[in-house]
Amino acid sequence: MQTQPETVKKPIIFSGIQPSGTLTLGNYIGALRNFKLLEDEYDCVYCVVDLHTLTVRQDAAQLRRRCLELAALYLAVGLDPQKSLIFCQSHVSAHAELAWILNCYTYMGELSRMTQFKDKSAKHADNINAGLFTYPVLMAADILLYQADLVPVGVDQKQHVEITRDIAQRFNGIYGDVFTIPDVYIGKVGSKVMSLQEPTRKMSKSDPEETYIALLDKPEDIRRKIKRAVTDSDAEIRFDPENKPGVSNLLSIIAALTGESTAAVTANLSGKGYGELKSTATECVIETLSPIQAEYKRIMNDKAYLQSVLDQCAHEASRRANRTLDKVKRKVGCAPHGKA
Ligand code: ATP
Ligand code: LTN
């Protein structure tokens, strides 16, 4: 857990991932990997956003397990609880409290323009609940509670960071400088990893198995899924997301994992066949995921350690979050506490 002297103030990062399924290579490249890359330069707060997951019906036992698994993956990619706070959203009640207050400063009109709301309400037409609609307000509360300067996410979440900025600016406009206005951080390569089967759609953990690579997939599953990944019939290796989405997706995955540019990766493979492209992608993915999987196994075998990290970080997160929440309550006119 962080024990930073107040004098060396680094800019603050907040980000979160939903424990709504097995994490995919998309989550890793678009989000998790950047969490680690930014860890030393920023004061980082990384959350398992379990309350957000309730917007879609969940099995309680499975969700409980997934919260711990996601926290273990945070640690397995190398996040260090001595440097970053790693905790579950539902352990810090300030998130839900601030979300309520911010709901009263957010318009129905702006929420109804959110593409994730439109997508998810089409996908879950039998359960279009109020939480699905106000989802971005809880996300705004997450970010604003910690006075975050930067929010690393995949490109699909950009609109939610923008509405967070709008809500914060509106609130500050009325009450003075209460919230830091956060910027979005989107990685240069791999901010939108595409489905292996439908490469014009985002790779998503709530889609069928064969469309994504899970971070915990075995090498043989990774081999099979990449082998079956949709490409095209003209056999030329060229980076052209519009006309060759499948091939370009594999090139981007290799680029993201090797740290090379897509131009360099494409040049190395030019003139070769799709078989070679796929085997290069497979090797890069297996090489990246193997050490993460080994570390994950180790952490999951030490649940007491995992739980102690989550408990201690939640305690510190509550302390920091409540500083902002108390200020907000005072500003809006909530009843003062009596002197104890
Ligand atoms: P769901 O399918 O349940 O909506 P998801 O796979 O989109 O979930 P989230 O928990 O919503 O995952 O996202 C966690 C983080 O991963 C976010 O920052 C999101 O932008 C990023 N992310 C998700 N999918 C991708 C992807 N295919 N490419 C790049 N980044 C992604
Ligand atoms: N909405 C995000 C998850 C999320 C988040 C956040 C991301 C919830 N709160 C705060 C960044 C900052 C998603 O669906 N991926």
Side-chain angles (χ1 to χ4, degrees):
M1 209 190 8
Q2 290 150 313
T3 44
Q4 240 185 54
E6 291 289 338
T7 44
V8 282
K9 275 223 165 101
K10 295 180 181 173
I12 299 170
I13 276 190
F14 184 95
S15 197
I17 298 184
Q18 298 185 66
S20 55
T22 359
L23 284 209
T24 70
L25 189 65
N27 298 128
Y28 177 72
I29 293 177
L32 255 191
R33 190 176 60 123
N34 295 328
F35 292 5
K36 174 68 191 156
L37 290 174
L38 298 163
E39 190 179 43
D40 286 329
E41 275 174 70
Y42 291 84
D43 172 9
C44 299
V45 184
Y46 295 129
C47 192
V48 172
V49 290
D50 50 352
L51 297 175
H52 274 109
T53 307
L54 300 177
T55 52
V56 172
R57 204 64 77 227
Q58 303 289 329
D59 174 82
Q62 198 173 50
L63 178 58
R64 225 173 272 132
R65 204 189 61 235
R66 281 181 174 156
C67 289
L68 282 186
E69 290 171 350
L70 179 51
L73 267 179
Y74 278 180
L75 297 174
V77 300
L79 294 179
D80 178 355
Q82 298 298 325
K83 297 181 188 160
S84 302
L85 289 179
I86 295 165
F87 67 101
C88 294
Q89 186 185 35
S90 63
H91 292 179
V92 178
S93 57
H95 290 245
E97 282 190 69
L98 181 62
W100 170 256
I101 295 175
L102 295 181
N103 264 321
C104 304
Y105 296 81
T106 307
Y107 298 113
M108 304 281 283
E110 55 189 349
L111 287 174
S112 56
R113 285 194 292 276
M114 295 293 112
T115 49
Q116 181 170 302
F117 171 67
K118 291 185 214 165
D119 291 350
K120 294 243 162 152
S121 44
K123 207 162 163 185
H124 304 280
D126 55 338
N127 183 20
I128 307 179
N129 57 70
L132 203 57
F133 190 63
T134 59
Y135 178 111
V137 184
L138 178 58
M139 178 159 161
D142 296 340
I143 297 167
L144 299 176
L145 273 176
Y146 299 90
Q147 306 290 351
D149 298 281
L150 204 63
V151 184
V153 282
V155 83
D156 61 301
Q157 293 299 312
K158 188 167 175 248
Q159 200 183 26
H160 286 164
V161 179
E162 280 161 4
I163 197 177
T164 299
R165 290 169 59 88
D166 292 342
I167 296 169
Q169 270 156 353
R170 183 173 305 137
F171 196 93
N172 284 356
I174 305 171
Y175 300 106
D177 278 344
V178 177
F179 296 125
T180 302
I181 310 297
D183 284 313
V184 69
Y185 174 95
I186 292 176
K188 280 199 189 71
V189 187
S191 64
K192 192 172 185 186
V193 177
M194 307 310 267
S195 155
L196 297 177
Q197 292 300 317
E198 273 184 80
T200 49
R201 293 183 43 181
K202 181 183 89 129
M203 182 183 280
S204 172
K205 57 173 130 75
S206 35
D207 282 347
E209 264 250 33
E210 292 299 305
T211 65
Y212 64 78
I213 291 170
L215 291 193
L216 300 176
D217 269 352
K218 296 193 188 76
E220 60 263 33
D221 297 325
I222 297 170
R223 249 178 235 120
R224 186 192 68 247
K225 288 179 183 177
I226 296 186
K227 202 164 180 189
R228 292 191 191 154
V230 167
T231 46
D232 54 44
S233 56
D234 85 4
E236 187 199 352
I237 297 183
R238 177 159 51 86
F239 187 72
D240 179 355
E242 205 167 303
N243 299 304
K244 295 173 77 69
V247 169
S248 305
N249 190 36
L250 294 176
L251 289 168
S252 301
I253 290 173
I254 299 169
L257 299 182
T258 57
E260 291 176 37
S261 65
T262 46
V265 172
T266 311
N268 285 340
L269 284 162
S270 87
K272 301 201 170 130
Y274 287 172
E276 185 113 5
L277 168 66
K278 288 186 171 180
S279 61
T280 307
T282 303
E283 272 156 41
C284 289
V285 172
I286 293 176
E287 214 169 282
T288 307
L289 298 189
S290 297
I292 297 174
Q293 294 178 354
E295 190 56 10
Y296 174 80
K297 245 196 208 145
R298 197 187 62 77
I299 295 161
M300 285 302 279
N301 278 329
D302 192 353
K303 296 254 173 50
Y305 167 71
L306 184 58
Q307 195 65 56
S308 77
V309 167
L310 290 175
D311 291 349
Q312 285 179 43
C313 290
H315 185 77
E316 172 62 12
S318 284
R319 193 189 62 78
R320 285 171 60 170
N322 279 317
R323 274 208 308 244
T324 302
L325 182 64
D326 285 347
K327 186 165 183 193
V328 167
K329 284 182 173 172
R330 222 173 29 249
K331 290 282 187 183
V332 300
C334 291
H337 285 287
K339 285 208 177 90

